[in-house]
Amino acid sequence: MSKNSEPLGMVGSLIAMYKGKPVGVGPGKLSHEERRDLWKEYMAVVSRYIITPPRIAQVKVKRDPSYSGLRQPTFQHWRDDQTEPNEEM
């Protein structure tokens, strides 16, 4: 959102599935252009009710054994070489 609470037309964060639960992931290394493209893709899906296949993302997290979820997850890059997620820490 802008300072005037207007949408910027780009993805602010991603929703990832981790151990069957949705987790918010910061945009990390996504460029502004990539964030805009993802927003356009999302809006096209929502407006047409088309479900696209999920993608695998490499996510960087802060390791903390006392924390049960993903601590400070941020996007690093897409893993087009994988078809199944690896949820190991």
Side-chain angles (χ1 to χ4, degrees):
M1 293 289 215
S2 71
K3 292 179 184 177
N4 300 327
S5 299
E6 297 170 4
L8 295 176
M10 68 176 70
V11 168
S13 64
L14 303 172
I15 304 297
M17 295 302 290
Y18 178 69
K19 297 186 178 180
K21 296 180 182 178
V23 176
V25 176
K29 294 186 178 183
L30 283 173
S31 68
H32 286 291
E33 184 176 316
E34 290 171 318
R35 291 171 61 198
R36 286 187 184 103
D37 289 346
L38 283 173
W39 182 253
K40 288 177 190 174
E41 197 176 300
Y42 169 76
M43 293 306 290
V45 168
V46 169
S47 66
R48 295 185 188 146
Y49 300 101
I50 298 170
I51 297 174
T52 58
R55 294 177 76 180
I56 305 295
Q58 181 79 34
V59 176
K60 180 180 177 182
V61 298
K62 182 176 181 180
R63 296 193 186 276
D64 184 346
S66 68
Y67 202 78
S68 62
L70 297 178
R71 186 161 186 191
Q72 299 176 340
T74 56
F75 175 88
Q76 299 301 298
H77 59 267
W78 295 113
R79 292 298 304 261
D80 295 326
D81 62 327
Q82 292 188 0
T83 57
E84 296 294 322
N86 177 353
E87 297 176 342
E88 293 179 23
M89 296 288 284

